[in-house]
Amino acid sequence: MAKQIHSDRVLEIDNIRVTFDTPDGAVEAVRGVSMHVRRGETVAVVGESGSGKSQIMMSAMGLLASNGQATGAVRYRGEDILNLPVKKLNKIRGAKISMIFQEPMTSLDPLYTIQDQLCEPLMVHGGLSRSKARARVLELLKLVQIPDPERRMKSYPYEMSGGQRQRVMIAMALANDPDLLIADEPTTALDVTIQADILHLLAELQARLGMSILFITHDLGIVEAFADRVYVMRKGQLEEEGETQQIFQAPATDYTRMLLDAEPSGQKSAPAADAEVMLSGKDVVVTFGTPGGFLRKDTQFTAVKGIDVALHREQTIGIVGESGSGKSTLGRALLQLLPSEGRVVYLGQEISGLDRAHMRPYRDGLQMVFQDPYGSLSPRMTVSEIITEGLLVHEPGLSQRERAERAAQALEDVGLEPSMRNRFPHEFSGGQRQRIAIARAVVLRPKVIVLDEPTSALDRSVQKQVIELLRRLQKEHALSYLFISHDLAVVRALSDYVMVMRDGKVVEQGLTEQVFDNPSQQYTRDLMRAAFDLREILREKLA
Amino acid sequence: MLSYALRRLLSAIPTLFIIVTAAFFMMRLAPGGPFDQERTLEATVMANLNATFGLDKPLWQQYGIYLSNLFQGDMGPSFIYRDKRVHEILAEGLPISIQLGATALILALVLGAFLGSVAALRQNTKTDFSVIAVATFGITVPNFVVAPVLSLVFAVVLSWLPAQGWGQWNQMILPVIALALPQIAVVTRLIRGSMIEALRSDHVRTARAYGLPTYMVVGKHALRAAILPAISYLGPAAAALLTGSIVVEQVFNLPGIGRYFVIGALNRDYTLVMGTVVIVAVFVVVFNLIVDLLYAVLDPRVRYD
């Protein structure tokens, strides 16, 4: 089943421009971009967030936000479909061109069953009766390898995992045998092992069904493994285009070279063996839900099942695992942000079971940085207010001037200008916001910081800067990190000790090199392969 | 879900008990009694009356008798309507009030959902602004203005509809409109807000991307999510319709239970007041349960177990 690329073009985008009307004036998101997709071809559009790659596809599909305007041409088999009236466009979208979105959690309607939603495009476009549509849905679910498809048809999206939902989206996309599948970051929100499965599924279906795929992503690892041809976008313009191999081996522009070099690098040496233990947990257990009772079902669920951990001074422990493995829960439990069982000791003092008031004196030493730099900063506070809020609680004796000095120092520490202190979070980019979140933690001169996926929402190039920053801060302030991430490349670069978690338990742990180079467990090996050998996996499975 | 409903009904019993107790004693704390009139009665007559109605017994004993009667479905004698028991009075008026309130509630939900959706789909256009203007008007202008004006215009001047009475379908139209207007306004605003959000959500984008016709995108996918906040509002709305019907019932001369609230309270008709309190409390509790169950039917993610 080798795939075939034909010379005729399924989609041609000609000098497209997308403008958004905002209160601050018109913003040009896309500035004159042309590209095409041939029949049977896989084309990747790469670029960092904000480069306009998604907006091109949104305008082609008539899905721009109401303040957006597109000019130029988008030709599907020669017919211009840009700005077509909805009724005419509806004959093409969902039938000839279909789309998969980034967010498998929210892209399906939570209030209808899988079967209901999959039947709709079949009945609308194919004119199928409900019973025929149902039969086809079952076929499709089998095609995308959903286990137990008869039962799954009647499930609601919330009853399925992210990977399964993305399979359902793919089934929906394939329902009417489209000529072109537009996939907008379809695996970004998924775990690496599931990402490999989904990409493999897409590649296999393409070879079997002969459709073209237009793949939008910021992940160059996927591009290399998956695409025939690449367009590189930057700030709304095309930076470079070419065959995948050529782009990867001989990039023509500095920007592409920078993207290719942005893989996290470096390593960390372990602290001295006699380094002081800063924070330790013994047999930590976290249980959610309520036990059963009169007319009440037991909803108890154990997320962390008895974990021991000891974090030394200047050590970075990387905690890796797929979503739902309990790694974030463990981090929060150690900081006493969640009720838990077991013994947690901070600097020789038992802190497990302390209530909020008794815990407060320890809080300045134990800080946390969260994944989402957009949601974790209050949009109504200035940067200076955000950073100094903790000082008001923990060092109430400071004068206003001293607080301002400490805030300026913290901003400098994380590489931001102190003159930015009176701005609001929304005026900053994602990377800058994450720096603000880190400044908020370091201003209290903590000893331990739990970093919960601090780089996951950032582009690779920005990620690299944040990694450098975390390294520098650790050295300057003798910090200990508990680094929680599903991104193995980042964990390898930052931590000296790794714990691999699965289903609330540690399946393997040890020094970073040892776990990465010589994993002893099959589960760890699978994780490593999915993260670092994506190309190999796809090639092997398709051969 | 069944066990949840059962649990909720069981938990309603202590709630109702507390309401009945509080209302009973608060009523007795108010100065005056059912037989105080402008001309004071002779002491022996007063004593006789009090003895007949059991008001000479200690308060806690009266409370005990009331509770045990209530438990058997007897709300006691009315002090004003001397030939009737309270539950008989309420049984006559309740069906009318319920019919009036239910019709107004359904009208409010249907019309509010429609107007709110239209406004959301035409956000920041003239259509949107005029719907919002009308809705604001509906919320701000009180019932005792709307009801007489409706009656004046449609009954007296135009003579299209009867001005008062009960029994024929066309006698229902004006009171239902007067009663529903503020609720329509509230539901419209609620739906508009949630609809705007729903139209921007990812799954509605998916429905559009798959070429579903607009009526399906809006009517099936967006509206079902947008109507949930309005459903939560139905509980308080039902209570407001039942108790807020006083003015409308007066203006259109309808024999509902609304007027007994006022008559009972003004005349210290202890049992009548207690009766209306019990009825309204039961309604609010039951309606909130219905709303919660309805919510679970509309949103499969909500599970009660």
Side-chain angles (χ1 to χ4, degrees):
Chain A
M1 273 192 309
K3 84 176 187 185
Q4 279 204 323
I5 302 174
H6 303 262
S7 59
D8 53 327
R9 294 175 176 189
V10 173
L11 191 77
E12 251 178 320
I13 292 172
D14 198 3
N15 195 25
I16 196 167
R17 286 173 183 278
V18 181
T19 317
F20 288 97
D21 218 6
T22 70
D24 304 328
V27 173
E28 273 210 307
V30 181
R31 299 184 263 181
V33 171
S34 303
M35 50 179 71
H36 67 266
V37 183
R38 290 191 289 250
R39 185 148 58 93
E41 188 181 32
T42 303
V43 173
V45 182
V46 298
E48 305 195 290
S49 47
S51 61
K53 54 194 192 301
S54 288
Q55 294 309 331
I56 296 180
M57 306 313 149
M58 290 298 170
S59 51
M61 298 290 273
L63 297 173
L64 275 187
S66 57
N67 63 340
Q69 266 267 325
T71 60
V74 175
R75 279 185 287 273
Y76 164 70
R77 293 189 179 278
E79 181 197 0
D80 191 358
I81 59 166
L82 189 67
N83 301 325
L84 219 58
V86 175
K87 272 197 177 159
K88 285 193 173 165
L89 191 58
N90 277 349
K91 296 216 178 332
I92 292 169
R93 52 183 189 182
K96 307 289 181 201
I97 305 177
S98 57
M99 202 160 176
I100 314 171
F101 301 96
Q102 176 173 359
E103 307 82 4
M105 294 301 167
T106 53
S107 292
L108 292 166
D109 193 331
L111 306 179
Y112 292 94
T113 59
I114 299 304
Q115 166 182 292
D116 271 350
Q117 296 183 58
L118 284 176
C119 279
E120 278 177 351
L122 286 167
M123 288 160 70
V124 167
H125 295 292
L128 264 59
S129 68
R130 185 162 281 277
S131 60
K132 280 200 176 139
R134 266 189 207 149
R136 171 86 176 126
V137 167
L138 186 62
E139 234 173 75
L140 286 165
L141 290 181
K142 281 180 186 157
L143 188 69
V144 295
Q145 295 151 28
I146 293 234
D148 202 359
E150 283 92 351
R151 193 172 60 84
R152 277 307 184 188
M153 281 172 80
K154 293 185 181 67
S155 296
Y156 288 94
Y158 78 95
E159 294 169 309
M160 308 178 106
S161 67
Q164 282 181 325
R165 289 189 218 192
Q166 205 58 305
R167 280 171 195 268
V168 170
M169 271 311 293
I170 293 174
M172 192 156 158
L174 298 176
N176 290 307
D177 296 322
D179 291 337
L180 173 65
L181 179 66
I182 299 175
D184 188 355
E185 306 261 10
T187 58
T188 307
L190 304 174
D191 285 319
V192 279
T193 45
I194 296 161
Q195 166 170 300
D197 286 349
I198 295 279
L199 289 174
H200 163 238
L201 175 69
L202 277 175
E204 189 194 59
L205 290 171
Q206 181 184 33
R208 199 187 315 174
L209 307 172
M211 69 204 163
S212 313
I213 297 181
L214 186 57
F215 201 95
I216 303 167
T217 184
H218 69 275
D219 188 333
L220 289 158
I222 298 178
V223 174
E224 193 182 10
F226 196 67
D228 303 314
R229 215 150 48 80
V230 186
Y231 291 94
V232 182
M233 279 191 69
R234 182 195 187 186
K235 294 184 181 166
Q237 282 171 319
L238 215 52
E239 187 80 11
E240 186 170 355
E241 63 167 294
E243 304 283 319
T244 304
Q245 268 199 328
Q246 171 209 331
I247 294 269
F248 273 76
Q249 281 161 10
T253 61
D254 291 342
Y255 181 71
T256 311
R257 221 164 290 136
M258 189 276 287
L259 284 183
L260 289 170
D261 287 343
E263 283 295 304
S265 57
Q267 51 192 5
K268 185 181 177 305
S269 50
D274 59 348
E276 183 187 2
V277 175
M278 306 298 288
L279 180 70
S280 67
K282 185 115 189 69
D283 209 14
V284 178
V285 176
V286 182
T287 309
F288 293 120
T290 49
F294 176 60
L295 293 177
R296 200 185 286 274
K297 256 188 220 159
D298 185 350
T299 56
Q300 273 190 326
F301 165 74
T302 308
V304 174
K305 301 170 182 164
I307 287 185
D308 297 339
V309 57
L311 180 65
H312 297 78
R313 183 184 288 274
E314 286 195 62
Q315 187 180 32
T316 302
I317 298 185
I319 302 183
V320 302
E322 303 189 307
S323 49
S325 59
K327 51 193 195 302
S328 287
T329 308
L330 173 65
R332 276 158 214 234
L334 288 173
L335 293 195
Q336 304 301 308
L337 293 169
L338 282 176
S340 59
E341 292 159 52
R343 197 176 135 85
V344 180
V345 175
Y346 169 59
L347 290 177
Q349 185 77 37
E350 175 159 2
I351 57 170
S352 38
L354 291 184
D355 61 24
R356 284 165 62 139
H358 287 95
M359 191 56 212
R360 196 163 296 136
Y362 302 106
R363 286 253 177 253
D364 55 347
L366 296 165
Q367 286 295 307
M368 184 148 188
V369 174
F370 299 93
Q371 169 171 7
D372 180 5
Y374 294 88
S376 56
L377 300 176
S378 168
R380 285 174 193 82
M381 288 167 77
T382 63
V383 168
S384 140
E385 284 170 336
I386 289 170
I387 294 175
T388 55
E389 197 179 25
L391 290 174
L392 287 173
V393 176
H394 293 289
E395 297 178 49
L398 290 182
S399 71
Q400 199 174 345
R401 213 172 120 201
E402 286 167 309
R403 275 202 303 275
E405 274 166 20
R406 288 277 290 273
Q409 180 60 43
L411 281 172
E412 242 170 79
D413 262 357
V414 299
L416 292 173
E417 295 285 325
S419 62
M420 291 171 170
R421 66 180 182 279
N422 290 325
R423 296 202 204 154
F424 287 92
H426 69 87
E427 298 173 60
F428 295 90
S429 68
Q432 284 175 320
R433 283 187 223 204
Q434 206 55 298
R435 284 171 192 267
I436 295 170
I438 295 169
R440 168 170 67 178
V442 297
V443 76
L444 296 170
R445 300 184 175 147
K447 306 222 163 28
V448 173
I449 304 182
V450 173
L451 300 152
D452 192 354
E453 305 260 13
T455 59
S456 301
L458 307 175
D459 282 321
R460 274 287 191 213
S461 59
V462 182
Q463 213 173 61
K464 199 170 175 177
Q465 296 162 11
V466 172
I467 291 171
E468 286 307 323
L469 170 68
L470 289 172
R471 264 193 200 129
R472 182 167 58 77
L473 289 174
Q474 182 165 44
K475 276 203 197 102
E476 285 174 10
H477 302 283
L479 294 170
S480 309
Y481 290 149
L482 204 64
F483 189 86
I484 299 164
S485 182
H486 69 275
D487 188 333
L488 294 169
V490 178
V491 170
R492 181 163 63 181
L494 261 181
S495 42
D496 52 79
Y497 192 87
V498 180
M499 295 168 76
V500 183
M501 280 186 72
R502 184 185 197 186
D503 296 336
K505 286 189 199 135
V506 173
V507 291
E508 179 164 5
Q509 58 182 315
L511 296 176
T512 302
E513 301 126 65
Q514 177 199 324
V515 173
F516 274 79
D517 298 340
N518 247 328
S520 66
Q521 299 294 314
Q522 185 59 40
Y523 179 70
T524 317
R525 275 198 287 273
D526 289 344
L527 269 185
M528 300 292 164
R529 239 173 90 75
F532 300 115
D533 303 322
L534 192 58
R535 209 168 142 191
E536 285 296 303
I537 296 182
L538 289 187
R539 192 177 300 150
E540 233 169 64
K541 285 194 173 170
L542 286 176
Chain B
M1 196 137 108
L2 203 67
S3 76
Y4 170 80
L6 208 64
R7 242 187 309 139
R8 277 284 296 268
L9 282 175
L10 286 179
S11 75
I13 292 170
T15 313
L16 290 174
F17 175 76
I18 291 167
I19 292 171
V20 168
T21 308
F24 186 88
F25 290 104
M26 275 163 67
M27 188 75 216
R28 296 308 173 94
L29 280 176
F35 311 120
D36 293 339
Q37 288 159 7
E38 278 173 35
R39 204 163 50 83
T40 38
L41 297 168
E42 269 177 59
T44 46
V45 178
M46 195 72 161
N48 263 335
L49 275 171
N50 279 342
T52 316
F53 288 99
L55 291 177
D56 55 342
K57 295 196 178 80
L59 198 55
W60 63 268
Q61 219 171 355
Q62 293 180 34
Y63 171 67
I65 293 169
Y66 184 77
L67 270 191
S68 85
N69 281 343
L70 185 63
F71 202 68
Q72 295 161 37
D74 181 4
M75 289 179 170
S78 166
F79 295 97
I80 314 169
Y81 304 95
R82 303 254 167 105
D83 50 340
K84 285 184 177 169
R85 312 287 292 177
V86 168
H87 54 268
E88 291 168 351
I89 299 176
L90 293 178
E92 282 171 21
L94 199 58
I96 296 166
S97 289
I98 290 179
Q99 205 178 332
L100 202 59
T103 318
L105 198 63
I106 291 168
L107 185 68
L109 194 60
V110 173
L111 214 56
F114 177 74
L115 290 175
S117 305
V118 169
L121 282 169
R122 303 256 179 283
Q123 199 194 347
N124 297 335
T125 61
K126 277 184 195 153
T127 321
D128 184 20
F129 294 141
S130 36
V131 168
I132 289 304
V134 171
T136 311
F137 180 81
I139 294 172
T140 47
V141 180
N143 235 308
F144 56 79
V145 176
V146 173
V149 168
L150 281 178
S151 174
L152 190 70
V153 174
F154 293 99
V156 180
V157 178
L158 296 173
S159 296
W160 288 354
L161 293 162
Q164 55 159 320
W166 187 257
Q168 284 163 306
W169 67 269
N170 60 1
Q171 284 172 323
M172 258 179 80
I173 295 176
L174 288 179
V176 163
I177 292 175
L179 204 53
L181 205 60
Q183 308 303 334
I184 295 173
V186 176
V187 174
T188 301
R189 293 190 71 114
L190 277 174
I191 296 270
R192 177 183 177 270
S194 51
M195 190 59 148
I196 286 172
E197 206 171 300
L199 286 172
R200 285 191 194 137
S201 65
D202 288 342
H203 69 263
V204 169
R205 178 185 66 187
T206 306
R208 286 210 172 108
Y210 279 85
L212 303 188
T214 309
Y215 73 89
M216 273 175 89
V217 174
V218 177
K220 195 173 168 191
H221 291 281
L223 187 61
R224 183 151 166 194
I227 210 155
L228 291 173
I231 296 289
S232 324
Y233 172 70
L234 287 186
L241 284 173
L242 208 59
T243 52
S245 59
I246 301 162
V247 174
V248 174
E249 285 180 16
Q250 288 290 341
V251 172
F252 296 100
N253 193 22
L254 306 174
I257 63 160
R259 59 202 163 126
Y260 296 124
F261 282 96
V262 182
I263 296 171
L266 289 180
N267 294 293
R268 300 288 180 276
D269 189 340
Y270 296 145
T271 43
L272 189 57
V273 170
M274 287 304 298
T276 50
V277 167
V278 170
I279 290 289
V280 170
V282 167
F283 254 87
V284 172
V285 167
V286 169
F287 223 86
N288 276 317
L289 174 63
I290 292 176
V291 163
D292 285 352
L293 295 181
L294 198 59
Y295 209 98
V297 170
L298 283 173
D299 188 344
R301 288 166 298 178
V302 177
R303 281 287 169 84
Y304 301 121
D305 42 34

